[in-house]
Amino acid sequence: GDSLKATRVAARARAALGGDLPVRAVFEAPTVAALAARLDTSGGRRPALTAGPRPDPLPVSYAQRRLWFVNDLDGGSAVYHIPIPLRLTGRLDLDAVRAAMDDMLARHEALRTVFTVIGGEPHQRILRHPDEVDPVLTVADLADATDAERRREILAAATRRFDLTRDLPVRAHVFRLGRRADGDEHLLLIVLHHIAGDGWSMEPLAADLITAYAARAEGRAPDWAPLPVQYADYAVWQRDLLGDENDPGSLAARQLAYWKQALAGLPDQLELPADRPRPARASYRGAQVPFTLPADLHAALADLAREHRASLFMVLQAALAGLLTRLGAGTDIPIGSPVAGRTDRALDDLVGVFVNTLVLRTDTSGDPAFAELLARVRETDLAAFAHQDVPFERLVEVLNPRRSLARHPLFQVMISMQTDPSARVELPGLTVALDPVDTGVSRFDLALLVDERRDAAGNPAGIDCRLEYAADLFDAGTARSMAARLERLLAAVAADPGRRLGDIDLLEEPERHRLFGEWNDTALPVPDVLAPELVEAQAARTPDAAAVAHG
């Protein structure tokens, strides 16, 4: 029950067997024999992704085009920065780090691509030599700095804007933090602009960094197999894959027709239980509330998913949609979710922005039992996965929802799940630990960010969650309350998936006490007066207090 692995299975089957295998088939026929029967070799095979001639000027991908536009619109804020902070303890070879970064730039064209505008449209310009621009690696000594000074310097490095017309979309900073009993301590901060990579790029990026650093520390060049394609090849292939939207038989036309129907009548804006009115323009200031689902609940939710031939992601999505409905957001809940977009095996080891965004429209109407809601979510998601090639950017242009600088188009709530956080870095002579940097941004009103952990035997070991929220709309206490209610809802449905949404108790104990113990205590005597007399008496006690607030 993992859509990314299912996508990879489908891609490898296409490459090896010459037929089409939809992602849906992996969920519906989860055995080798059943899958073999689903393989369609009748034709309509996707064009193979290969390195080939490139037009001049070189086009951008659809994702790059949107990220370029957003970067230009907001003046290059840190909203689309991906910081990768690694705390290193031991003997760090700075020369090997510099050489390894150069090796990475040489291996992945996306990391040495700048952008130029021709006729109002951005185009890729791949630099032959990274030394055409400013050095990628900088070194600073913060050993004598205070904790506040360190945080300020590191945050400044993580959020410093990229000029995409001249700066490489990746930077590295080494901060010396001091000496410990077990060796020197440094922070290696790699900052990647989203236009050059995505979350699924972390695995090949980490693997190549390990290989290059280990080789350079031994005084040799890394010995790795050449990549079959580069990002520019993908940008050209993407247009060939989608075809002409005016051709009803093209992939683009077929998938756009699906999305037009699936998203017809979608609400412009999800009415969330915000603490403040939405400003005219989003500031993208944000924060996160971390919480962890324990291993026993993780195991119960995984069992629930398996019993219903769904994925753990689908269970979490159904729970999030159900929670939003219970909090007053209605019963038509659009939730955005990233998909890896690596639908061809040639992309497995490539750094670049392949991620696409799907709008998963969740119908919570009729107060369904959770099992019924999960079945709805499963059907919606599998249909969406089967139509994941149309870029979100193009979908927005075609559907043309009412635009606003105050909110994200088509959805304002995101869910993202990392089911195999395998981008672990182990460097020779160094102990490595991830040292998160909070850049204080949120691209959405709410985002549920999930990391599934499993032990060495593959058993559920807990789910690390972060509820990211827009500071324009929510206070930290409200976000913490929503996170606690989500955990309570998940525990309830894991115990009894037949329970209806409306029957699940989402109240915390202090709330229950206030509602049923203090404010609605039917054991208290009722005064023998009329309600208007109670209002008059309160007005006499507090004559200067506001009686009614509106707006």
Side-chain angles (χ1 to χ4, degrees), residues 36 158 161-162 512 540:
R161 72 181 297 268
F162 287 91
R512 187 179 296 103

mmCIF file of all heavy atoms in Angstrom, residues 36 158 161-162 512 540:
data_model
loop_
_atom_site.group_PDB
_atom_site.id
_atom_site.type_symbol
_atom_site.label_atom_id
_atom_site.label_comp_id
_atom_site.label_asym_id
_atom_site.label_seq_id
_atom_site.Cartn_x
_atom_site.Cartn_y
_atom_site.Cartn_z
ATOM 1 N N ALA A 36 0.401 -9.893 -13.685
ATOM 2 C CA ALA A 36 0.747 -10.333 -15.040
ATOM 3 C C ALA A 36 -0.490 -10.363 -15.933
ATOM 4 O O ALA A 36 -0.435 -10.011 -17.118
ATOM 5 C CB ALA A 36 1.390 -11.719 -14.986
ATOM 6 N N ALA A 158 19.982 29.889 5.262
ATOM 7 C CA ALA A 158 18.914 29.047 4.721
ATOM 8 C C ALA A 158 17.892 29.850 3.932
ATOM 9 O O ALA A 158 17.219 29.297 3.058
ATOM 10 C CB ALA A 158 18.225 28.298 5.852
ATOM 11 N N ARG A 161 18.036 34.782 -0.575
ATOM 12 C CA ARG A 161 17.347 34.593 -1.840
ATOM 13 C C ARG A 161 18.295 34.110 -2.938
ATOM 14 O O ARG A 161 19.503 34.386 -2.925
ATOM 15 C CB ARG A 161 16.643 35.875 -2.277
ATOM 16 C CG ARG A 161 17.573 36.989 -2.750
ATOM 17 C CD ARG A 161 16.790 38.227 -3.145
ATOM 18 N NE ARG A 161 15.903 37.988 -4.270
ATOM 19 C CZ ARG A 161 16.241 38.190 -5.547
ATOM 20 N NH1 ARG A 161 17.455 38.611 -5.856
ATOM 21 N NH2 ARG A 161 15.380 37.953 -6.507
ATOM 22 N N PHE A 162 17.724 33.401 -3.885
ATOM 23 C CA PHE A 162 18.428 33.000 -5.102
ATOM 24 C C PHE A 162 18.026 33.933 -6.228
ATOM 25 O O PHE A 162 16.831 34.183 -6.433
ATOM 26 C CB PHE A 162 18.035 31.565 -5.512
ATOM 27 C CG PHE A 162 18.608 30.475 -4.655
ATOM 28 C CD1 PHE A 162 17.913 30.003 -3.548
ATOM 29 C CD2 PHE A 162 19.820 29.890 -4.964
ATOM 30 C CE1 PHE A 162 18.408 28.980 -2.770
ATOM 31 C CE2 PHE A 162 20.339 28.861 -4.194
ATOM 32 C CZ PHE A 162 19.628 28.401 -3.086
ATOM 33 N N ARG A 512 -14.277 18.949 27.719
ATOM 34 C CA ARG A 512 -15.449 18.192 28.123
ATOM 35 C C ARG A 512 -15.943 18.673 29.490
ATOM 36 O O ARG A 512 -17.142 18.802 29.740
ATOM 37 C CB ARG A 512 -15.113 16.696 28.163
ATOM 38 C CG ARG A 512 -16.327 15.818 28.411
ATOM 39 C CD ARG A 512 -15.975 14.338 28.422
ATOM 40 N NE ARG A 512 -15.483 13.898 27.121
ATOM 41 C CZ ARG A 512 -14.217 13.679 26.839
ATOM 42 N NH1 ARG A 512 -13.297 13.859 27.786
ATOM 43 N NH2 ARG A 512 -13.836 13.281 25.646
ATOM 44 N N ALA A 540 -26.379 45.173 34.399
ATOM 45 C CA ALA A 540 -26.200 46.014 35.580
ATOM 46 C C ALA A 540 -24.867 45.745 36.261
ATOM 47 O O ALA A 540 -24.218 46.655 36.783
ATOM 48 C CB ALA A 540 -27.353 45.766 36.561
#
